[in-house]
Amino acid sequence: MPIIAILLLTVSSPLSPPCQAGQLRLSLDARDGDLNGTSHSGTEISVGNMGPDCTLAALPQVQLRDAQNRIAPAVRQAPRGMHPGPVMVPLRLATGHRAAAEIRWIASPVFPRSRGVLIARLTLNIGIGTISAPLTAQLFGAVGQPVTFEQTPLRAVEGMAAG
């Protein structure tokens, strides 16, 4: 098959519409400490689709919020070796299925001059909406530098989403 025909088939294939916040459920799982160690902590982010098939950004924007629901001064680190950034294909999320990613952060005052940020909630921006879940954490960074966290891209997970 000529390359042009393959490209036309790819372009003309119908995609699922973007996911809407109202059809998704967010849950967090510390996975029994699997993401903890060497002054780090973390959690798994799980996004379940309770609505029709849809597409979700592979690297959705995570916001960490304080107890007053204000956006905390913590930013996602750029993925290593991918500058200005990776091209990530949106993830198709079927009805009743889920996707997961991990975030990790420095959880101890390991810098000569450390500052801590208390977190009470994790929020994902989905289109014009948001979904969120409680998260009790303290992130540390060096004084004068941003407090950061690492985030992996979403991946499809076997099994159904919790209702």
Side-chain angles (χ1 to χ4, degrees):
M1 181 178 278
I3 291 177
I4 298 224
I6 293 171
L7 288 174
L8 287 174
L9 286 174
T10 304
V11 171
S12 65
S13 299
L15 293 175
S16 298
C19 295
Q20 302 299 313
Q23 76 185 89
L24 303 174
R25 299 294 174 266
L26 176 65
S27 61
L28 305 177
D29 182 358
R31 294 190 351 214
D32 293 326
D34 281 352
L35 298 169
N36 298 344
T38 318
S39 301
H40 284 75
S41 191
T43 192
E44 179 182 75
I45 299 168
S46 180
V47 179
N49 182 10
M50 302 301 140
D53 292 6
C54 61
T55 56
L56 191 58
L59 202 59
Q61 182 184 10
V62 169
Q63 289 180 337
L64 300 176
R65 295 179 174 264
D66 66 16
Q68 287 74 43
N69 205 32
R70 296 176 301 212
I71 298 172
V75 295
R76 180 180 72 209
Q77 290 179 346
R80 291 192 175 116
M82 297 183 186
H83 299 286
V87 174
M88 294 187 197
V89 176
L91 182 70
R92 182 178 170 276
L93 196 55
T95 301
H97 289 266
R98 68 184 185 99
E102 288 87 32
I103 63 167
R104 291 190 75 212
W105 57 86
I106 297 171
S108 300
V110 297
F111 302 96
R113 292 183 52 226
S114 294
R115 72 177 180 130
V117 175
L118 293 173
I119 304 301
R121 180 164 288 292
L122 181 143
T123 300
L124 284 183
N125 292 339
I126 307 294
I128 60 169
T130 61
I131 54 177
S132 66
L135 173 66
T136 302
Q138 185 168 18
L139 284 65
F140 286 89
V143 170
Q145 295 182 14
V147 173
T148 63
F149 60 91
E150 299 171 355
Q151 177 186 351
T152 64
L154 284 169
R155 67 191 184 291
V157 177
E158 287 191 34
M160 303 303 272

